[in-house]
Amino acid sequence: MMSQQGYVATPPYSQSQPGIGLSPPHYGHYGDPSHAASPPGMMKPAGPLGAATPGMMLPPGPAPPGSHQFGQNGAQASSHPSQRFPGPSPVNNVASSYAPYQPSPQSSYPSPVSTSSVTQLGNQLGAMQINSYGSSMAPSSQGPPGPPSAAAFQGPPRPPQPSILQPGSQVLPPPPTTLNGPGASSAPPTAQYQPPPLPGQTLGPGFPPQQANYGPQMAGAQLSYPGGFPGGPAQMAGPPQPQKKLDPDSIPSPIQVIENDRAIRGGQVYATNTRGQVPPLVTTDCVIQDQGNASPRYIRCTTYCFPCTSDMAKQAQIPLAAVIKPFATVPPNETPLYLVNHGETGPVRCNRCKAYMCPFMQFIEGGRRYQCGFCNCVNDVPPFYFQHLDHIGRRLDHYEKPELSLGSYEYVATLDYCRKNKPPNPPAFIFMIDVSYSNIKNGLVKLICEELKTVLEKLPKEEHEETSAIRVGFITYNKVLHFFNVKSNLAQPQMMVVTDVGEVFVPLLDGFLVNYQESQAVIHNLLDQIPEMFADSNENETVFAPVIQAGMEALKAADCPGKLFIFHSSLPTAEAPGKLKNRDDKKLVNTDKEKILFQPQTNVYDSLAKDCVAHGCSVTLFLFPSQYVDVASLGLVPQLTGGTLYKYNNFQMHLDSQQFLNDLRNDIEKKIGFDAIMRVRTSTGFRATDFFGGIFMNNTTDVEMAAIDCDKAVTVEFKHDDKLGEDSGALIQCAVLYTTISGQRRLRIHNLGLNCSSQLADLYKSCETDALINFFAKSAFKAVLHQPLKVIREILVNQTAHMLACYRKNCASPSAASQLILPDSMKVFPVYMNCLLKNCVLLSRPEISTDERAYQRQLVMTMGVADSQLFFYPQLLPIHTLDVKSTELPAAVRCSESRLSEEGIFLLANGLNMFLWLGVSSPPELIQGIFNVPSFAHINADTTLLPEVGSPYSQQLKMIMNIIQQKKPYSMKLMIVKQREQPEMVFRQFLVEDKGLYGGPSYVDFLCCVHKEICQLLN
């Protein structure tokens, strides 16, 4: 069967493909007309391409060091022989060009004849107009002819699994030109020559060069030019070739990249004394020593070498961005930040650009003046700060002052940095509980009240303090609001009801916000009473915006910043501001109006968020929905105020309470700063232009955050406004002004120096894939509010191809067109980009609710690099190979069904979900050891907690789960999945290297698709 149709690379195209119209070229950033088409002549190498650019060797020869070549069948990797990664290679960077994903018409589970997605995509890609480099191709207004009509391909059907790449030009040939028609390759047969691999590095069998026009091409590479031939087997010349499948083991593996980096840099000390060095990957554990640049725990960049000019930046299309996590947790074996106190005078700052004193300031004239590293202004050193210089022009107190020798430190802020020039009050926490009928009936209210007694003992405090300075208050609500007076001298708490939800006011000041220690008895009394008090209530309607309003007004009246903890479970339908209706409409999915589902349905929440930020009121929302609650509207205030959104679908006490309680405890104990303003300053030549995160911006420079905690990151994009110099580099200073949990106003400063180069190769060498994916995810998820998803996906694919084509053209040595060449630092960029493109936010799936998509969109917007890496490419660990004597995690495997085995047990985690997958032939001793039952059939898959067995296997597995859960912002709920049972469907969507059940190509198919796109760009 296989050999007879070995030459068929095109599945039947009888179904017409929806949504393949002509689309204009999409370049660069969403909705930015300046990038609408790339200027003609874009890809000229910048600067003389002399010996300085590695890899400009004469053809035919091996690929340049550090690049990976994929030949016609399999890969030849060529790279530095001993030292695989000169710097940590980014793990996630590919901008690839795949066109709109269409869910494949057959979405039945084991699809008998599934349309291979690469052909589908290829077909749609044909519709994208890509105005390529080369001035001869000025952007044409009308684009190439559309995709081949559905009838053009009529090959016999093809079995679902193998994505077959055949020898010869069949493997990703260059796209046809109008001259030679779809069948021929545009290069003479000899151009198929493959450079010899380095010794010992062949990863797959090479094939002798084939006649260029032998065998049909990959579907989709055939554009139907006027007068073109119908594609398909009819074009065959000669006997069919034996089939050769692109071996998944020969394409770059994220697991391998992660393991290699760990092997080289794990457990080492990483010192930050060198400008522009690429840090270890986020997945590598090491000890970071601050020696003048901020730790990568605080700032990671998409590339650590910026191009000198904006022309170079446009040519490569690699986003220049930093992912900043100003309050990141540092492990106990690293030094916490030093606090610098200059008393009344406050921090020393540049007179012109207001940058803070840091290692980038150059002292001159015997130490009496200093030149600012950011704007070059020469400033006088204040008399109190004067110090003599040594023989190399460094101050004698250089190592005694954190601000002169370290990348990160804090200053005590003076009154000039405080609201109304007076010291702030310590923050307050207000707990607001939805006491509507369903929450009382399912026991949620009682659970919350019981738990609060415990967590209030753990309110965050400064290390030297006995008790927490944070005050607490309590409100319950349904259609109306109930405020409680819990003043310490009361025998009983007192309730005050506010029924006018249209104009919320705070009915009491004294006794609403109290010190927990002093009022403990009254508070416990109240928490015992609340579940009884509303036990007979039949009220099922709730309000929501007035609840936030009430909390904010209470903080405003007390003149302090703070955080609202809201426990809510339904769509707010009661008559009040912010009332919502059910607008969940599946008919909008896959249309241009789909973006409406991600937008709030009223502007009440936007203006409410603005008021909250202005008064330092952060909102954290715990949602317990049993149906649609409009997360896009309810989640807006938490997102814009630096709060967190937690969601527990169809909350069931016995299954979900542990996850919720872990989240609540973790959230209350987090390191957090209040009423914060962040400013990112840069040296001359570039500036911060775009910001993504849990932030609010009233102007173009001040990033305002009602609160910021240790898990929140802000991603900042930079653009050139002039040339950058190789000598001076690119300097970044992030300053966050905030109030501590004890009410002290402080400045937290992070400084980072990057290199600059006029060689494109240096830019590619210094990329960090994980940070790139974080940036692309956030910019795409922001664009979701304004643009059709299909357009966003096209832009992402396009930019992926563009980044890689630019590398191929300017940095790699010439080689056959059938080779896909990836920069070493970006070799797993395509797999991660494919994961982003298949995420439910950008690609809807029938079983995923609108609320879930809005929720995931919101989570990603504030993620740091480590969290987004795990979210898009989950960790999959074999548990059946456990060594019970070891404390090491088992080695991870790639996220693909082909890596699972019937005899195996696997644990998968992505930061939100955790699955324990059990093969039908799992070893009985393991099943007994973990579940305390005799066989697979006896396992109860409805539990979310592993039973207490006490066996070595059970303890080992729990230890592994704890290690994975550590330092993650969300508590992961465990789901037990038995092979071949219904819940396996949910688990499968996390095997991100495989083809999606509802569209979205496999990793192999996506690589082919990107390669094809690159070939088109290069032609």
Side-chain angles (χ1 to χ4, degrees):
M1 156 85 183
M2 290 303 282
S3 61
Q4 285 169 358
Q5 50 168 73
Y7 56 83
V8 179
T10 55
Y13 261 85
S14 46
Q15 310 94 347
S16 69
Q17 294 287 323
I20 311 188
L22 280 181
S23 53
H26 296 301
Y27 276 108
H29 291 357
Y30 314 92
D32 174 356
S34 67
H35 291 284
S38 63
M42 211 164 85
M43 283 281 210
K44 300 225 172 62
L49 285 172
T53 320
M56 296 313 292
M57 305 171 202
L58 293 173
S67 69
H68 276 242
Q69 300 196 346
F70 298 93
Q72 317 191 47
N73 297 306
Q76 296 124 353
S78 75
S79 65
H80 309 270
S82 57
Q83 187 195 356
R84 195 63 163 303
F85 298 111
S89 78
V91 182
N92 327 15
N93 252 30
V94 187
S96 45
S97 163
Y98 38 162
Y101 288 82
Q102 301 296 346
S104 70
Q106 308 92 332
S107 53
S108 57
Y109 192 21
S111 64
V113 183
S114 76
T115 327
S116 123
S117 39
V118 72
T119 38
Q120 233 176 309
L121 287 171
N123 213 13
Q124 294 161 350
L125 282 171
M128 283 205 273
Q129 176 192 355
I130 295 164
N131 292 317
S132 174
Y133 335 20
S135 26
S136 59
M137 290 184 60
S140 71
S141 55
Q142 148 241 319
S149 67
F153 293 91
Q154 304 232 305
R158 160 171 153 195
Q161 260 111 21
S163 319
I164 297 137
L165 296 187
Q166 294 173 346
S169 69
Q170 158 71 51
V171 179
L172 306 177
T177 61
T178 6
L179 299 173
N180 52 21
S185 153
S186 52
T190 50
Q192 290 292 351
Y193 174 78
Q194 289 178 301
L198 293 189
Q201 291 212 293
T202 329
L203 295 177
F207 271 73
Q210 300 282 337
Q211 275 294 162
N213 54 0
Y214 192 93
Q217 293 181 299
M218 275 315 284
Q222 302 151 323
L223 295 179
S224 60
Y225 283 85
F229 313 94
Q235 243 171 259
M236 281 300 299
Q241 281 292 304
Q243 207 134 22
K244 184 72 190 159
K245 185 175 167 186
L246 186 61
D247 176 12
D249 285 324
S250 68
I251 57 180
S253 154
I255 304 301
Q256 202 50 57
V257 167
I258 290 169
E259 287 305 323
N260 288 352
D261 194 65
R262 281 184 182 146
I264 296 165
R265 311 181 79 169
Q268 309 279 318
V269 172
Y270 172 76
T272 68
N273 53 354
T274 314
R275 185 181 84 190
Q277 65 183 340
V278 184
L281 296 181
V282 279
T283 42
T284 299
D285 262 330
C286 58
V287 178
I288 294 160
Q289 205 173 60
D290 186 339
Q291 294 189 0
N293 284 291
S295 156
R297 297 191 199 286
Y298 297 120
I299 307 183
R300 282 185 172 269
C301 296
T302 52
T303 175
Y304 294 85
C305 177
F306 278 14
C308 284
T309 64
S310 62
D311 284 351
M312 262 180 86
K314 285 192 184 102
Q315 194 178 343
Q317 286 203 14
I318 291 176
L320 308 177
V323 186
I324 306 175
K325 208 172 172 184
F327 283 79
T329 314
V330 295
N333 59 350
E334 291 176 17
T335 323
L337 298 191
Y338 287 98
L339 181 60
V340 180
N341 190 347
H342 289 325
E344 302 277 292
T345 53
V348 178
R349 301 177 68 177
C350 169
N351 292 326
R352 183 195 289 160
C353 71
K354 298 290 183 266
Y356 295 85
M357 179 54 66
C358 69
F360 305 144
M361 305 297 190
Q362 186 66 49
F363 289 88
I364 51 175
E365 295 176 28
R368 287 189 299 279
R369 309 178 83 186
Y370 67 92
Q371 182 168 21
C372 173
F374 295 92
C375 70
N376 301 323
C377 172
V378 174
N379 297 272
D380 291 329
V381 173
F384 86 92
Y385 201 65
F386 175 78
Q387 179 57 273
H388 294 285
L389 307 183
D390 64 12
H391 64 288
I392 54 167
R394 190 183 259 175
R395 284 173 55 126
L396 298 175
D397 60 359
H398 178 85
Y399 288 107
E400 290 146 41
K401 290 206 177 307
E403 73 274 23
L404 299 180
S405 54
L406 298 178
S408 302
Y409 43 87
E410 294 201 304
Y411 283 116
V412 174
T414 57
L415 292 179
D416 300 342
Y417 294 90
C418 302
R419 284 183 192 266
K420 305 180 192 141
N421 290 35
K422 60 180 217 274
N425 289 311
F429 284 177
I430 303 177
F431 298 92
M432 318 179 92
I433 306 169
D434 164 359
V435 290
S436 57
Y437 175 79
S438 56
N439 282 7
I440 296 285
K441 280 291 167 281
N442 68 10
L444 184 59
V445 172
K446 190 167 175 40
L447 178 73
I448 293 166
C449 291
E450 281 307 308
E451 182 59 19
L452 285 177
K453 294 181 197 170
T454 316
V455 291
L456 288 170
E457 299 288 347
K458 300 194 177 134
L459 290 172
K461 57 180 196 285
E462 298 289 354
E463 268 120 48
H464 55 270
E465 290 181 335
E466 284 290 298
T467 61
S468 173
I470 293 174
R471 290 174 299 160
V472 295
F474 303 87
I475 289 177
T476 58
Y477 66 94
N478 39 43
K479 261 165 67 166
V480 297
L481 299 153
H482 322 106
F483 288 74
F484 294 95
N485 182 345
V486 283
K487 205 173 170 172
S488 57
N489 58 6
L490 292 174
Q492 282 284 335
Q494 296 169 348
M495 176 165 92
M496 297 173 135
V497 182
V498 174
T499 52
D500 182 2
V501 288
E503 287 292 320
V504 178
F505 67 98
V506 182
L508 77 159
L509 288 180
D510 190 31
F512 178 63
L513 292 179
V514 297
N515 175 300
Y516 171 70
Q517 253 45 46
E518 290 169 15
S519 294
Q520 187 179 4
V522 194
I523 289 172
H524 280 221
N525 194 331
L526 169 67
L527 294 172
D528 288 337
Q529 288 184 38
I530 288 175
E532 270 90 79
M533 210 182 298
F534 300 100
D536 301 329
S537 156
N538 289 327
E539 187 49 72
N540 227 346
E541 280 203 309
T542 56
V543 296
F544 187 72
V547 181
I548 297 176
Q549 184 82 34
M552 181 191 68
E553 297 291 348
L555 293 175
K556 193 163 135 189
D559 197 20
C560 69
K563 180 161 161 177
L564 313 182
F565 292 80
I566 304 180
F567 304 91
H568 186 86
S569 65
S570 60
L571 194 68
T573 52
E575 249 346 293
K579 172 185 175 177
L580 300 175
K581 57 181 191 292
N582 186 339
R583 51 154 191 172
D584 189 15
D585 186 357
K586 286 275 190 230
K587 287 199 288 297
L588 298 180
V589 172
N590 289 329
T591 69
D592 284 358
K593 293 205 172 118
E594 190 167 359
K595 58 187 177 213
I596 297 169
L597 299 173
F598 293 101
Q599 300 164 357
Q601 60 172 286
T602 150
N603 54 16
V604 168
Y605 292 103
D606 201 49
S607 53
L608 189 54
K610 190 174 179 171
D611 289 348
C612 283
V613 173
H615 295 102
C617 168
S618 172
V619 178
T620 279
L621 175 59
F622 293 85
L623 266 182
F624 304 88
S626 52
Q627 58 212 32
Y628 177 76
V629 292
D630 199 350
V631 169
S633 300
L634 298 188
L636 189 68
V637 178
Q639 162 129 30
L640 296 177
T641 60
T644 308
L645 175 59
Y646 299 94
K647 184 162 79 76
Y648 312 92
N649 299 334
N650 301 312
F651 183 83
Q652 287 177 278
M653 206 58 142
H654 62 291
L655 294 179
D656 306 295
S657 56
Q658 206 43 57
Q659 182 193 10
F660 159 58
L661 297 180
N662 291 345
D663 281 334
L664 178 58
R665 286 166 200 166
N666 181 34
D667 200 280
I668 282 181
E669 295 170 33
K670 262 181 199 182
K671 173 105 180 97
I672 184 170
F674 291 93
D675 201 9
I677 295 187
M678 179 169 102
R679 195 78 179 264
V680 178
R681 292 183 173 82
T682 54
S683 51
T684 50
F686 74 114
R687 63 196 166 85
T689 56
D690 229 337
F691 299 86
F692 309 91
I695 55 173
F696 198 88
M697 298 193 71
N698 276 318
N699 56 37
T700 53
T701 53
D702 295 332
V703 180
E704 299 183 50
M705 298 169 283
I708 180 164
D709 65 45
C710 57
D711 295 317
K712 301 287 186 292
V714 178
T715 298
V716 184
E717 186 177 15
F718 302 101
K719 293 262 169 68
H720 287 76
D721 48 19
D722 203 350
K723 283 196 174 64
L724 293 170
E726 298 202 357
D727 300 338
S728 48
L731 310 178
I732 297 168
Q733 182 178 78
C734 162
V736 183
L737 174 64
Y738 72 101
T739 299
T740 66
I741 43 181
S742 59
Q744 188 184 34
R745 202 73 176 142
R746 281 190 196 171
L747 283 151
R748 181 170 282 221
I749 314 291
H750 297 298
N751 304 286
L752 184 63
L754 305 174
N755 286 337
C756 296
S757 174
S758 54
Q759 302 294 330
L760 281 166
D762 294 334
L763 169 64
Y764 282 96
K765 218 184 291 169
S766 305
C767 280
E768 182 177 319
T769 293
D770 296 315
L772 277 165
I773 291 296
N774 180 283
F775 172 83
F776 279 118
K778 289 182 184 181
S779 55
F781 284 13
K782 186 176 182 177
V784 156
L785 298 173
H786 314 291
Q787 285 193 278
L789 299 185
K790 176 170 170 263
V791 172
I792 295 170
R793 292 194 303 260
E794 280 171 16
I795 292 171
L796 286 172
V797 175
N798 215 283
Q799 197 166 348
T800 296
H802 215 106
M803 290 156 67
L804 297 174
C806 174
Y807 175 79
R808 166 109 191 209
K809 180 167 181 176
N810 299 286
C811 312
S813 56
S815 63
S818 64
Q819 304 220 295
L820 171 61
I821 299 181
L822 302 171
D824 198 54
S825 67
M826 293 171 72
K827 60 176 182 254
V828 289
F829 184 80
V831 65
Y832 286 166
M833 177 54 86
N834 191 30
C835 296
L836 166 59
L837 286 158
K838 292 198 285 191
N839 175 271
C840 67
V841 176
L842 295 182
L843 183 65
S844 66
R845 296 199 291 270
E847 85 283 11
I848 300 240
S849 68
T850 304
D851 273 347
E852 182 60 26
R853 298 175 72 195
Y855 176 61
Q856 291 196 20
R857 179 188 163 271
Q858 182 159 337
L859 298 193
V860 169
M861 289 310 288
T862 60
M863 277 184 184
V865 179
D867 294 329
S868 58
Q869 190 276 335
L870 182 67
F871 180 73
F872 289 112
Y873 194 93
Q875 200 171 10
L876 181 60
L877 305 176
I879 297 300
H880 51 284
T881 57
L882 274 188
D883 172 5
V884 288
K885 297 180 198 64
S886 159
T887 54
E888 297 280 294
L889 286 185
V893 295
R894 295 170 68 165
C895 288
S896 167
E897 195 181 356
S898 61
R899 311 287 156 165
L900 304 176
S901 61
E902 294 197 351
E903 303 76 48
I905 298 182
F906 292 82
L907 184 69
L908 181 141
N910 75 340
L912 284 188
N913 314 84
M914 200 179 270
F915 296 91
L916 190 62
W917 181 90
L918 304 146
V920 285
S921 314
S922 307
E925 66 276 16
L926 263 177
I927 290 177
Q928 183 71 52
I930 296 171
F931 295 98
N932 206 12
V933 296
S935 73
F936 180 83
H938 291 83
I939 297 170
N940 168 21
D942 293 337
T943 176
T944 54
L945 295 173
L946 292 178
E948 292 298 333
V949 181
S951 72
Y953 283 125
S954 173
Q955 287 166 337
Q956 187 76 357
L957 176 56
K958 286 184 176 175
M959 181 201 75
I960 288 170
M961 288 165 63
N962 286 337
I963 292 173
I964 294 175
Q965 180 61 66
Q966 261 166 23
K967 303 191 290 285
K968 301 290 187 295
Y970 300 91
S971 172
M972 292 177 262
K973 173 175 153 183
L974 179 68
M975 185 166 164
I976 312 272
V977 175
K978 296 166 78 173
Q979 187 180 2
R980 299 183 194 151
E981 292 190 6
Q982 182 58 35
E984 205 186 5
M985 292 282 287
V986 181
F987 169 76
R988 289 252 189 124
Q989 71 195 34
F990 295 96
L991 301 174
V992 290
E993 289 198 22
D994 299 340
K995 184 170 184 295
L997 293 174
Y998 298 104
S1002 68
Y1003 174 22
V1004 170
D1005 290 348
F1006 182 60
L1007 262 187
C1008 299
C1009 165
V1010 169
H1011 185 190
K1012 175 178 164 285
E1013 197 74 355
I1014 292 169
C1015 293
Q1016 284 190 346
L1017 284 169
L1018 292 179
N1019 276 353

